[in-house]
Amino acid sequence: MKMPFMQAVKERVLVLDGAMGTMLQERGLKAGQSPEEMNLTAPEVVAGVHRAYLEAGADIIVTNTFGGTKAKLDHYGLGDQVERINAEAVRIAREVAGESAYVAGSIGPTGRFVEPVGDMSFDEAHALFTEQAKALIDAGCDAISLETFLDIKEIRAALIAIRELSADIPVITMLTFEEKGRSVLGSPPEAAAITLEAAGASIIGSNCGLGVDGIYDILCAMRKVTALPLISQANAGLPILKDGVTVFPGTPDEMTAYHDRMLGLGVRVIGGCCGTTPAHISAIKEALSGRQTPFIPKQDDGTTWISSRGSFAAIGKKHPVALIGERINPTGKKLYSQELREGKVSYIRREALEQTELGATLLDVNVGTPGIDEPAAMERAVFCITGAVQTPLVLDSSSPQALEAGLKSADGKVLINSVNGEEKSLAAVLPLARKYGAALVCLTLDDVGIPTEAEGRVAVAEKIAERAKAFGIKRSDLVVDCLTLTVSAEPRGALVALEAVRRVSELGLNSTLGVSNISFGLPCRPLISSTFFSMAIAAGLTSAIVNVKEAPMMSAWRSAMVLLGKDVNAAGYIDAYRGQAVGATVQPAAAAGGAAPVAEAAEPEGIRGRLAKAVINGELETVVPLVEEALAEGLSPMQISSEALLVGLDEVGRRFGNGSFFLPQVMVSADTMKAAFARLKQELAGGGLKSIGKILMATVEGDIHDIGKNILVTLLENNGFEVIDLGKNVPAAKILDAARSHEVDAVGLSALMTTTMAQMDKVVTLLKSEGVKSFTMVGGAVVTQQYADEIGADLYAKDAMEAVARIKELLAK
């Protein structure tokens, strides 16, 4: 009888099997055929692959269900057989594995992005993964393996769905990262690990995309923020073309070269992805022989980790005091309240950008104003902010419905503001925090009210901590708000709050305060507030809700960070005040001590500059009125396009290239461009702006993944190209016919899977042999410059922004 899966992980390193798709292809899987269908039509072939890996020494057999969601199976007319296909896959694997190996049910991405980057809602993704996971769990798999995900939001939805079905089944979670060390949508390994651990992952790591050296670097970053066991499932090197066949050059010896370092890092599952064979798995098994040690997780140091899609933040004693920007709150803000009632987000976007630039560590998001649909407003706000900045979020609402809408909309692990000691609050908020993997601001008040002394507030904090523990919420995910009462009405308010902060700190809990509340009703409020802030930091405060636009508040923070040794070499302080004379009025530089400011290229002035800025910031609501204004000033559609809109898009491309912008921001800018162009086309009596080139785009035959292609199509159109999009799974003959009939300047080919890369070679060869003069460009997760050179493609791009720039350059020649 096998021991429970996670017990085995703790006692020894388990070997997971290798590639499935390439093995099935060798055994008869045809281009364009569903690999999962073979569970029904050729179970003996699938069993043969499992058996080969079992005999090679695999401890974990992964089911042939990577594309087993309804979304994927629909492409093959199999969407009504989700349960049968997944159940059969588990049966086949279980029969082969017996008592010798564990069976992990494989779940891969749906092929679509979740809103707002894509068109799939959280609820739709959740339903798709629930259906597949239920079939796998009911069939008796030992664990679930979420693998090759590109979007942190999608894998988070899958993990939440699984945890609703089962709190106990082990879940392995893996994202795919690029050579720059981020996922396709810009998630660094740390943000991914924080998000996945919070949502209930059992094991975290990476597969595909990189070789073993690249995976090791990813896992090193993850280990900084998580104590969970890690998994490495690397490719056998990067693919090359040899004698017309896609091969992976990584040898079994190369796959084991990092074993000592992997084991020291806490990697407890090691397997292989694209290009790996039973020979690789056998080498991995042999290399682990005699090197097994028990898993010893690192101790929780009390840090509260918060994440967004593209960033992460820490609240804790070892870190600088986290600044929670308070200004996205309608209290006392008539303009913002009016925008909320009108369903607009301009104020939210502007404040998110400005507070981030000024150094906010997190952004508090409050949309509570009378007469609105608060859940819908919270969703809009979260979508707006995550499209504009990478700063992690604090969801601020007393409405459980609004909180849940925000939790579904968020990209990472958020901080809920707030829960308190009242029974009603505990019952409503704790389940949401557990389900969606959020940390909590804990207000020290209960059904009796706000305790007048520190002891009472600490007692409420302990009560919340105990109740949270019962829900499986870690102590380090609680941030205690010791409550700031205005000192003009409560003379002892400051002393009680400071004492409560001290005691909370002694208990190992993190803390926060709404600092500016202390000075309400007094003149020169920033003076009182900043002094109180300094005192609270000295008392052990680890975060604060502040107005980062107030110079005295930021000066107090920067000074305290230097004096407490949390600003190493006073680097942040010097950046903020460099060049200012002794005794000068403090004028801190924007963003000093916080996020680095984004170096901007010179923008045109006047209406042209405002239009360019609208594109850069993704101001969808304002761009069309700005186009109207430009037309009224006498600018022609071509002037608006070339002298304003494309200037903005070029700056977006520059920021994407230097790593200060990521794909979600690029897509928001692209949507803004699309709205502007739609208005300009009306001025041309239904005609389009002059095309700078005609591009044919297609995902090659056998490949049903079109996310990357769709992104490129959008960007090409917004850069002035005419695009003929043939979709996905397109045969070479159809591409040839379309290239001829449309007389295109270039043919763009996309492939995500290693099993379909060879179709690119087929298309390029066919176009050349038939005398088609169009340029060819190739790209996709598994495609490399070397591969493009080998098949004779004219252009390779590693991402959509680079593809646009390179095709412009190529056509210009």
Side-chain angles (χ1 to χ4, degrees):
M1 187 73 176
K2 300 191 299 291
M3 69 178 66
F5 182 85
M6 289 307 298
Q7 183 181 340
V9 167
K10 292 175 182 177
E11 292 191 8
R12 60 192 175 94
V13 179
L14 301 183
V15 176
L16 185 138
D17 63 16
M20 172 63 74
T22 48
M23 294 282 283
L24 290 178
Q25 195 173 39
E26 291 174 3
R27 289 161 169 75
L29 176 67
K30 297 179 175 57
Q33 181 183 0
S34 164
E36 290 74 26
E37 187 178 18
M38 295 184 76
N39 295 329
L40 308 180
T41 61
E44 70 285 352
V45 174
V46 177
V49 175
H50 290 326
R51 193 169 295 110
Y53 283 122
L54 183 69
E55 291 172 354
D59 300 301
I60 306 171
I61 299 298
V62 181
T63 60
N64 179 35
T65 54
F66 177 77
T69 59
K70 186 178 186 299
K72 283 287 189 71
L73 294 176
D74 273 342
H75 293 295
Y76 305 102
L78 299 169
D80 60 344
Q81 298 194 58
V82 171
E83 182 178 357
R84 183 183 173 206
I85 285 172
N86 283 277
E88 275 297 294
V90 175
R91 184 195 63 77
I92 295 166
R94 174 67 67 203
E95 191 172 280
V96 172
E99 290 298 312
S100 301
Y102 298 95
V103 172
S106 172
I107 297 179
T110 62
R112 296 165 63 191
F113 284 143
V114 182
E115 293 174 329
V117 177
D119 62 353
M120 182 168 57
S121 70
F122 175 91
D123 287 339
E124 185 180 356
H126 182 277
L128 288 168
F129 291 122
T130 296
E131 182 182 25
Q132 184 185 10
K134 186 176 188 305
L136 293 168
I137 294 170
D138 288 350
C141 62
D142 299 301
I144 297 288
S145 177
L146 299 175
E147 50 186 327
T148 325
F149 279 78
L150 307 176
D151 180 2
I152 187 64
K153 197 163 191 176
E154 185 183 24
I155 192 173
R156 176 174 174 263
L159 185 50
I160 290 169
I162 294 166
R163 281 292 168 244
E164 281 193 278
L165 293 169
S166 171
D168 302 319
I169 191 165
V171 184
I172 301 168
T173 55
M174 293 179 282
L175 258 73
T176 295
F177 294 87
E178 299 182 314
E179 289 183 1
K180 290 182 179 179
R182 289 181 179 260
S183 71
V184 169
L185 290 186
S187 296
E190 297 94 335
I194 291 165
T195 303
L196 294 173
E197 179 174 356
S202 309
I203 300 171
I204 293 173
S206 180
N207 77 305
C208 203
L210 300 170
V212 66
D213 53 342
I215 295 283
Y216 173 75
D217 292 339
I218 296 298
L219 298 184
C220 283
M222 288 183 165
R223 177 52 75 215
K224 296 175 184 176
V225 298
T226 182
L228 290 181
L230 301 174
I231 177 172
S232 167
Q233 196 177 353
N235 287 342
L238 297 177
I240 59 174
L241 192 69
K242 187 174 182 180
D243 300 328
V245 178
T246 302
V247 298
F248 285 77
T251 66
D253 287 344
E254 290 170 346
M255 292 287 288
T256 63
Y258 278 68
H259 268 25
D260 285 333
R261 279 171 282 185
M262 291 286 192
L263 297 181
L265 200 59
V267 174
R268 305 302 292 177
V269 181
I270 299 178
C273 202
C274 299
T276 54
T277 66
H280 292 89
I281 299 306
S282 178
I284 290 173
K285 183 74 170 184
E286 184 177 351
L288 289 172
S289 178
R291 301 158 88 176
Q292 299 285 9
T293 56
F295 177 61
I296 303 175
K298 71 171 188 176
Q299 295 298 308
D300 188 340
D301 66 0
T303 299
T304 304
W305 293 104
I306 310 296
S307 63
S308 66
R309 181 191 298 277
S311 186
F312 59 99
I315 301 174
K317 294 180 180 179
K318 295 183 177 180
H319 307 277
V321 173
L323 301 177
I324 302 172
E326 68 181 14
R327 288 190 51 80
I328 304 177
N329 188 314
T331 303
K333 301 180 182 69
K334 292 182 179 180
L335 174 62
Y336 180 28
S337 296
Q338 183 61 32
E339 284 196 1
L340 286 171
R341 283 189 284 271
E342 295 173 356
K344 296 180 179 179
V345 293
S346 297
Y347 174 90
I348 294 171
R349 181 184 295 106
R350 182 170 63 254
E351 284 295 337
L353 288 164
E354 290 178 0
Q355 289 185 99
T356 295
E357 186 176 356
L358 288 166
T361 316
L362 302 103
L363 294 175
D364 188 83
V365 187
N366 187 309
V367 296
T369 200
I372 68 164
D373 180 344
E374 190 174 348
M378 181 65 84
E379 179 185 84
R380 280 194 300 273
V382 172
F383 283 171
C384 170
I385 295 169
T386 55
V389 297
Q390 300 297 314
T391 316
L393 301 182
V394 180
L395 300 183
D396 186 354
S397 177
S398 59
S399 164
Q401 293 77 22
L403 286 175
E404 184 159 25
L407 289 162
K408 289 180 179 180
S409 306
D411 297 329
K413 177 185 177 183
V414 307
L415 180 59
I416 291 175
N417 186 10
S418 56
V419 67
N420 61 57
E422 296 175 351
E423 289 302 318
K424 181 180 178 181
S425 177
L426 293 167
V429 179
L430 292 180
L432 289 176
R434 177 57 272 172
K435 176 179 177 179
Y436 293 99
L440 288 163
V441 171
C442 306
L443 301 184
T444 51
L445 61 88
D446 57 17
D447 296 285
V448 178
I450 301 175
T452 57
E453 300 297 332
E455 292 88 343
R457 298 184 192 183
V458 173
V460 174
E462 284 285 31
K463 173 186 175 181
I464 297 172
E466 284 301 311
R467 295 289 289 274
K469 182 179 179 181
F471 276 87
I473 299 171
K474 297 189 301 181
R475 198 173 174 87
S476 58
D477 277 338
L478 305 178
V479 180
V480 179
D481 188 338
C482 297
L483 298 176
T484 307
L485 303 181
T486 177
V487 73
S488 61
E490 295 285 344
R492 295 184 63 253
L495 294 174
V496 172
L498 294 172
E499 180 61 22
V501 167
R502 288 190 190 94
R503 297 198 180 190
V504 163
S505 178
E506 291 168 359
L507 292 172
L509 289 165
N510 288 316
S511 57
T512 195
L513 287 171
V515 177
S516 60
N517 293 342
I518 197 72
S519 61
F520 186 79
L522 294 174
C524 199
R525 290 187 62 189
L527 179 59
I528 290 284
S529 297
S530 60
T531 303
F532 175 64
F533 189 20
S534 296
M535 295 172 72
I537 291 172
L541 191 72
T542 52
S543 69
I545 303 169
V546 299
N547 182 358
V548 294
K549 294 184 177 183
E550 288 187 356
M553 194 72 75
M554 297 300 289
S555 297
W557 175 73
R558 291 192 180 95
S559 301
M561 293 305 95
V562 173
L563 297 172
L564 293 175
K566 294 184 178 181
D567 181 0
V568 180
N569 299 322
Y573 185 91
I574 292 169
D575 283 345
Y577 305 116
R578 180 186 284 113
Q580 296 190 32
V582 175
T585 301
V586 173
Q587 297 291 339
V598 178
E600 297 183 2
E603 296 174 4
E605 296 180 355
I607 186 61
R608 293 173 175 84
R610 289 158 63 199
L611 275 164
K613 189 174 182 179
V615 171
I616 294 167
N617 293 337
E619 297 173 15
L620 191 59
E621 292 174 353
T622 61
V623 72
V624 173
L626 287 172
V627 169
E628 301 281 5
E629 187 177 333
L631 291 168
E633 288 187 14
L635 272 67
S636 71
M638 282 303 298
Q639 284 179 305
I640 295 171
S641 172
S642 61
E643 298 174 14
L645 299 175
L646 288 176
V647 171
L649 197 60
D650 285 344
E651 174 63 9
V652 170
R654 190 187 71 81
R655 295 188 189 187
F656 181 82
N658 68 23
S660 58
F661 263 27
F662 302 101
L663 198 51
Q665 291 160 293
V666 172
M667 296 305 293
V668 171
S669 293
D671 287 342
T672 306
M673 283 284 292
K674 189 179 296 184
F677 275 136
R679 175 62 188 90
L680 290 178
K681 288 178 181 179
Q682 296 175 20
E683 295 299 307
L684 301 172
L689 297 169
K690 183 179 178 182
S691 169
I692 63 173
K694 191 183 293 185
I695 313 292
L696 177 71
M697 290 295 303
T699 300
V700 296
E701 185 174 14
D703 205 318
I704 60 173
H705 303 86
D706 62 353
I707 289 175
K709 173 189 65 69
N710 292 343
I711 292 170
L712 179 54
V713 167
T714 299
L715 295 180
L716 286 169
E717 289 175 339
N718 287 332
N719 275 271
F721 290 95
E722 179 185 350
V723 181
I724 296 93
D725 184 2
L726 299 184
K728 54 197 170 190
N729 193 18
V730 185
K734 184 175 180 180
I735 295 173
L736 172 65
D737 291 343
R740 281 174 166 166
S741 63
H742 291 282
E743 298 181 345
V744 298
D745 297 298
V747 174
L749 306 173
S750 175
L752 180 70
M753 303 189 300
T754 56
T755 53
T756 58
M757 286 174 62
Q759 291 296 318
M760 288 182 164
D761 183 27
K762 182 178 178 180
V763 173
V764 172
T765 301
L766 180 62
L767 291 172
K768 288 182 177 180
S769 66
E770 294 294 325
V772 176
K773 301 299 184 182
S774 306
F775 293 115
T776 53
M777 68 177 176
V778 296
V782 293
V783 184
T784 63
Q785 180 66 62
Q786 181 180 357
Y787 186 83
D789 294 339
E790 289 171 348
I791 66 174
D794 298 299
L795 183 151
Y796 160 76
K798 63 181 180 295
D799 55 57
M801 293 300 293
E802 181 179 288
V804 172
R806 297 198 66 185
I807 197 64
K808 278 184 176 180
E809 180 183 343
L810 189 62
L811 292 181
K813 293 180 180 178

